[in-house]
Amino acid sequence: MIDSYASSDDAAVAIAGARAGADVIRNMYGQRLSRIDKGAGDFATAADVEAEEAILGVIRAARPGDAVLGEESGQQGAANAVRQWLVDPLCGTLNYAVGNMLVAVNVALRDGAAAVADPFSGEVFFTDRETAWVRHDGVDDALLRPTPSTRLVDVNLDPPFPSAPGFRAVDLLACPEFVERFRPRVVSTTLALAWVAAGKRAAYVTDGGDLSGSVHFAAGIALCRAAGCVVTGIDGVPIDEAGRGLVVAADEETHGLLMSMMHSLPDD
């Protein structure tokens, strides 16, 4: 099956990789899994490691000359390679470890195709960089259409908070304008980015440094850009090496409202 993707386009490789990882995550769900401590309260499980190996197997077979940066295995190949895959085999490890199914499998070619798989819904969100689609259980591709109609905004409250005290995501939830206009959600997985692209969320907000090259965020960012979402840092400028955090909104109006609210938050 893996060899059949050797002549496929990059989007097919990303989809195959994400599905391979998702199969592992789904099959190992509910088991007592060993943990690998990463420090500062972070850890990986055996499922993270096995899912990443499955994804790397697809990429190695289809694109043996490409570099890969994996969440668990680190850099393989030149870090400055023209073609580099970014792999996050299980985004939402803590959720998964306690029996919560809100997780994602992220596979992205830097500045190229990407896929985000939901192991439990059977959905794979993917992009060839130009357009973005969702495939459910291997069939029925549908174009992703972002919309703010749900009024649901996911806010990442996990540390670190590098922009504090100037910006703290939790303060946004107490903003009267936010309460009037939106309803907050906290899922602690970048699956929320795919949901913005798919119209299941109006927006997503997180603090952080430059997230464009992060194994956690690259696939979701690629999806949202291809779907037509507004993607910036928390300072409202395009994300790049000097950027901070991430604000992804279904449309310009929602993005503008969030930026106005964030800029009105009091500095401590």
Side-chain angles (χ1 to χ4, degrees):
M1 180 185 73
I2 291 173
D3 290 340
S4 68
Y5 290 94
S7 60
S8 299
D9 61 28
D10 289 330
V13 174
I15 293 167
R19 290 184 64 185
D23 287 344
V24 173
I25 298 303
R26 186 172 54 256
N27 291 337
M28 296 184 71
Y29 178 75
Q31 299 179 22
R32 289 182 62 87
L33 300 173
S34 59
R35 296 189 181 190
I36 304 163
D37 182 37
K38 296 183 176 182
D42 192 16
F43 63 89
T45 70
D48 296 69
V49 175
E50 290 195 27
E52 182 160 307
E53 275 302 311
I55 297 166
L56 295 183
V58 171
I59 295 173
R60 288 178 187 133
R63 300 290 187 267
D66 290 359
V68 179
L69 176 60
E71 166 72 3
E72 308 309 331
S73 58
Q75 182 69 47
Q76 301 178 40
N80 61 350
V82 174
R83 290 178 55 89
Q84 182 181 54
W85 293 86
L86 305 172
V87 175
D88 181 4
L90 178 53
C91 188
T93 298
L94 182 55
N95 288 348
Y96 185 80
V98 299
N100 187 316
M101 292 182 177
L102 290 174
V103 301
V105 177
N106 298 315
V107 179
L109 178 63
R110 188 185 293 274
D111 299 322
V116 176
D118 181 337
F120 299 104
S121 73
E123 294 171 308
V124 180
F125 306 88
F126 64 94
T127 178
D128 58 4
R129 198 182 180 187
E130 300 299 324
T131 54
W133 304 77
V134 61
R135 180 175 298 173
H136 192 277
D137 290 329
V139 295
D140 299 330
D141 289 2
L143 193 66
L144 295 183
R145 300 183 184 279
T147 171
S149 61
T150 66
R151 297 172 50 191
L152 301 177
V153 176
D154 264 303
V155 181
N156 181 16
L157 301 182
D158 283 345
F161 309 117
S163 299
F167 170 76
R168 286 184 297 222
V170 67
D171 293 336
L172 181 63
L173 307 184
C175 176
E177 291 81 7
F178 184 93
V179 174
E180 180 180 351
R181 179 78 184 210
F182 301 112
R183 292 293 179 268
R185 293 293 183 271
V186 180
V187 299
S188 298
T189 170
T190 53
L191 182 61
L193 283 170
W195 289 347
V196 178
K200 298 181 179 184
R201 294 289 191 269
Y204 174 86
V205 178
T206 184
D207 196 358
D210 169 32
L211 302 179
S212 60
S214 164
V215 295
H216 307 292
F217 289 91
I221 289 172
L223 276 175
C224 289
R225 282 175 164 165
C229 302
V230 182
V231 181
T232 72
I234 60 173
D235 50 6
V237 301
I239 54 175
D240 56 24
E241 293 182 3
R244 293 187 303 135
L246 189 63
V247 178
V248 177
D251 63 352
E252 291 281 0
E253 180 183 3
T254 301
H255 183 267
L257 285 169
L258 287 171
M259 295 308 304
S260 176
M261 295 171 194
M262 291 162 60
H263 290 161
S264 68
L265 296 177
D267 277 345
D268 289 347

